[in-house]
Amino acid sequence: MNFIHALSQYGFLQSALICAILVGIMSGLVGCFIILRGMSLMGDAISHAVLPGVAVAYMLGINLLLGASIFGILAALLIGYVAAHSKVKIDTAIGVVFSAFYAGGFILISLASSATNLHHILFGNILAVSDSDLKTTAVVGALVILFIVAFYKELKLTSFDPTFARTYGFKVQALHYALMLVLTLVTVSALQTVGIILVVAMLITPAATAFLWTDKLHVMLGLSSVVGVLSAIAGLWLSFTYNLASGPAIVIVAAGLFAISFIFSPKNGLLKGALAR
Amino acid sequence: MLNVHQLTVAYEATPVFKDLSVAFAPGKITGIIGPNGAGKSTLIKAMLGLIKSSGTVNYNKQPLLTHRKQIAYVEQRKDLDLTFPISVFDVVLTGTYPHLRVLQSPGKLQRQQAHAALQQVNLAEFAQRQIGNLSGGQLQRVFVARAIVQNADVIILDEPFVGIDMHSEAAIMAILQQWRQAGKTIIVIHHDLNKVSQYFDDLVILNHGIVAAGPTAEVYTQANISQAFSSDLSQVLFTEEAQ
């Protein structure tokens, strides 16, 4: 049975596709600011650090988003605190904090539930998207877009020139933590699509691909979401057709689009450079 | 008048300077000179509240930091991300952000201000260029254009003439002189001792504290330069001038 036909037949596949598209859009948008701020490692860290939050929420039977957000923000604050109050560099602080959170999450989950659940959290389980999951993802997607539209000029300025923003009294730190909160929300939404381990790829790869094609931030945001959505659709198709895990399939497509851009984009100019020679 | 009173900054317990007091007058271009590591940038950053310090910094008898929007600061550009997807015009436009509310986008008025400022520094034709595609001098003029848009009363530039062409240096100097005419307080950290007398009305010589401060003609002396830098350097500079 081919993908299109299956889509028309099975509700679960439609839910999976819509969910993957929503995640593609929001991670593409947020990812642009993550890479422009040089925070790829931070994005990786926060997406892993939500694991204990997911476990605790699962144990207490509360909303995953709530548990994950609390632990995501906690990790961001702790990283900031360690970096500010010791001589270790920021990437070291990130490494120490997020691996501890991640390890804690593993232990909690192994205490709480079966190995199957852990597998789904780590690698995603897009074919089991429920209606309520879909609703939550849609709400989070709307919030993310609202956040970026509302704070577009501040996000742009603080990514480019934070000192200038601080000098005129803008609360740069507050926006940083707001962005970290948004990042945790995106991570949780992406849990089912790609899983915790590969969330960072959905944040960084589409944004990096878009970056290679344009010098304008608003164009980059648009392109990045398009790459995110294309990866999601093509990845899901691959996953269905060849019986592959959906998360890795989506990420491989995104990486392929990056590779093509790396060679052919006018800005990166690997091909342009070769032709000029 | 911008008054710095008993300002102390310490990294790791060793003070960069202690109980530093100095005043900057409106309608004057004040240069700050001193050897590397003398605390020039540190003084500015402490005044702007970008690093921790103790002491008071008052502008017209009120804390400077309650007038944040009246300060334009052109920092050293070495840490700037030149690959950032932003155009020359948009960088200058960010100079209007201090006066915009959250949720408010720059409108027609702000765009006109940015455009006018770009014309003042002769960069109107580069408005749509990505900022990485400029020379050092052009880039510095972009940030001066942003300071024009900010329309601040206090303007602070950290080594604005480093690594730029003579044409850009002259263009920036002309803008500084316009600001002086308008009665603004202008502070310039400067690295090149040769043009000190030519550029600055007042001079602050710094070396982990104030060595001398006042009108350039009185302060820029062989004895002061010898004390702040080295006697060799002061000899070379002042012997050449005498000849």
Side-chain angles (χ1 to χ4, degrees):
Chain A
M1 189 186 297
N2 74 30
F3 186 61
I4 305 294
H5 185 60
L7 256 186
S8 64
Q9 291 249 304
Y10 300 118
F12 75 88
L13 204 55
Q14 291 163 15
S15 298
L17 187 69
I18 295 169
C19 186
I21 288 172
L22 287 170
V23 168
I25 294 172
M26 61 178 129
S27 54
L29 290 173
V30 173
C32 287
F33 293 105
I34 300 294
I35 73 160
L36 288 174
R37 287 167 171 250
M39 283 174 46
S40 299
L41 183 61
M42 189 72 171
D44 194 22
I46 299 297
S47 62
H48 282 72
V50 303
L51 189 61
V54 172
V56 168
Y58 185 81
M59 283 162 138
L60 300 177
I62 56 170
N63 194 313
L64 288 188
L65 281 172
L66 186 65
S69 304
I70 290 169
F71 277 84
I73 284 298
L74 205 62
L77 288 169
L78 203 57
I79 288 166
Y81 184 83
V82 171
H85 292 86
S86 77
K87 283 184 183 169
V88 300
K89 294 189 174 64
I90 181 82
D91 61 331
T92 310
I94 290 172
V96 170
V97 171
F98 102 78
S99 54
F101 272 63
Y102 200 43
F106 267 111
I107 291 172
L108 283 174
I109 285 184
S110 61
L111 289 177
S113 65
S114 71
T116 339
N117 278 314
L118 179 63
H119 191 269
H120 287 167
I121 291 168
L122 295 183
F123 299 106
N125 181 23
I126 195 167
L127 299 182
V129 175
S130 70
D131 281 354
S132 78
D133 290 337
L134 201 56
K135 256 184 221 150
T136 316
T137 307
V139 170
V140 170
L143 282 175
V144 169
I145 292 170
L146 203 65
F147 171 75
I148 288 174
V149 171
F151 293 102
Y152 178 73
K153 80 173 189 293
E154 285 81 8
L155 284 166
K156 183 174 180 174
L157 177 60
T158 58
S159 303
F160 173 62
D161 193 352
T163 309
F164 178 80
R166 277 175 73 197
T167 310
Y168 79 78
F170 184 77
K171 302 270 178 279
V172 175
Q173 281 294 314
L175 190 64
H176 166 77
Y177 287 115
L179 185 63
M180 291 302 99
L181 180 61
V182 168
L183 181 60
T184 64
L185 295 178
V186 172
T187 302
V188 177
S189 306
L191 271 185
Q192 286 200 303
T193 328
V194 287
I196 269 189
I197 294 179
L198 293 175
V199 167
V200 67
M202 285 305 282
L203 286 167
I204 293 170
T205 312
T209 307
F211 176 78
L212 294 180
W213 290 96
T214 179
D215 278 336
K216 296 194 167 63
L217 181 57
H218 59 277
V219 178
M220 180 175 164
L221 286 163
L223 268 179
S224 178
S225 345
V226 169
V227 172
V229 169
L230 281 180
S231 311
I233 296 173
L236 206 56
W237 171 76
L238 277 177
S239 164
F240 180 84
T241 311
Y242 300 101
N243 195 25
L244 305 169
S246 59
I250 291 171
V251 171
I252 286 294
V253 174
L257 291 172
F258 177 82
I260 292 168
S261 307
F262 183 75
I263 296 166
F264 294 103
S265 84
K267 190 167 151 189
N268 197 64
L270 204 66
L271 190 71
K272 194 176 79 177
L275 287 176
R277 235 177 275 136
Chain B
M1 194 64 111
L2 177 57
N3 287 294
V4 177
H5 185 63
Q6 297 201 322
L7 195 68
T8 299
V9 176
Y11 293 128
E12 315 276 327
T14 23
V16 179
F17 46 75
K18 206 168 164 237
D19 294 336
L20 184 152
S21 298
V22 68
F24 301 95
K28 295 264 169 72
I29 303 176
T30 305
I32 301 180
I33 59 171
N36 287 332
K40 303 185 293 283
S41 297
T42 306
L43 169 61
I44 295 305
K45 284 179 183 158
M47 286 168 61
L48 294 172
L50 296 173
I51 53 173
K52 273 188 198 162
S53 63
S54 62
T56 55
V57 182
N58 284 344
Y59 180 63
N60 294 339
K61 295 181 180 153
Q62 287 173 320
L64 178 66
L65 296 184
T66 58
H67 297 275
R68 281 180 176 280
K69 292 177 185 178
Q70 284 312 320
I71 310 167
Y73 171 46
V74 181
E75 61 170 332
Q76 284 186 51
R77 290 289 132 203
K78 57 188 178 199
D79 295 330
L80 194 73
D81 176 8
L82 289 175
T83 68
F84 199 92
I86 190 166
S87 67
V88 166
F89 184 80
D90 281 0
V91 172
V92 177
L93 197 59
T94 61
T96 66
Y97 285 16
H99 303 289
L100 296 175
R101 284 170 279 111
V102 169
L103 297 178
Q104 190 186 0
S105 306
K108 200 174 173 187
L109 173 69
Q110 284 78 21
R111 303 182 72 82
Q112 278 171 353
Q113 288 171 343
H115 192 71
L118 268 179
Q119 277 182 326
Q120 255 185 285
V121 297
N122 291 324
L123 288 177
E125 60 187 304
F126 297 103
Q128 291 313 317
R129 277 218 192 163
Q130 193 268 339
I131 50 144
N133 300 318
L134 295 179
S135 74
Q138 289 167 335
L139 193 64
Q140 192 63 270
R141 280 188 276 154
V142 170
F143 286 99
V144 169
R146 176 164 78 176
I148 294 174
V149 169
Q150 280 182 272
N151 193 22
D153 294 331
V154 178
I155 299 137
I156 303 174
L157 303 97
D158 193 346
E159 304 209 344
F161 305 128
V162 167
I164 74 173
D165 57 287
M166 283 169 65
H167 171 68
S168 292
E169 184 163 336
I172 291 170
M173 207 54 219
I175 302 285
L176 298 191
Q177 282 154 359
Q178 284 175 26
W179 279 331
R180 171 171 60 192
Q181 286 254 303
K184 295 176 188 290
T185 306
I186 306 136
I187 303 170
V188 182
I189 294 180
H190 194 61
H191 72 295
D192 177 6
L193 293 180
N194 286 312
K195 290 173 178 164
V196 166
S197 315
Q198 192 185 331
Y199 281 178
F200 304 119
D201 308 311
D202 285 352
L203 192 65
V204 174
I205 304 178
L206 204 67
N207 193 7
H208 299 284
I210 302 289
V211 173
T216 305
E218 292 168 24
V219 170
Y220 191 60
T221 61
Q222 186 165 1
N224 285 336
I225 295 301
S226 170
Q227 196 190 334
F229 294 84
S230 71
S231 54
D232 291 349
L233 183 66
S234 68
Q235 246 167 17
V236 171
L237 277 170
F238 287 87
T239 326
E240 273 179 2
E241 251 171 48
Q243 279 166 356

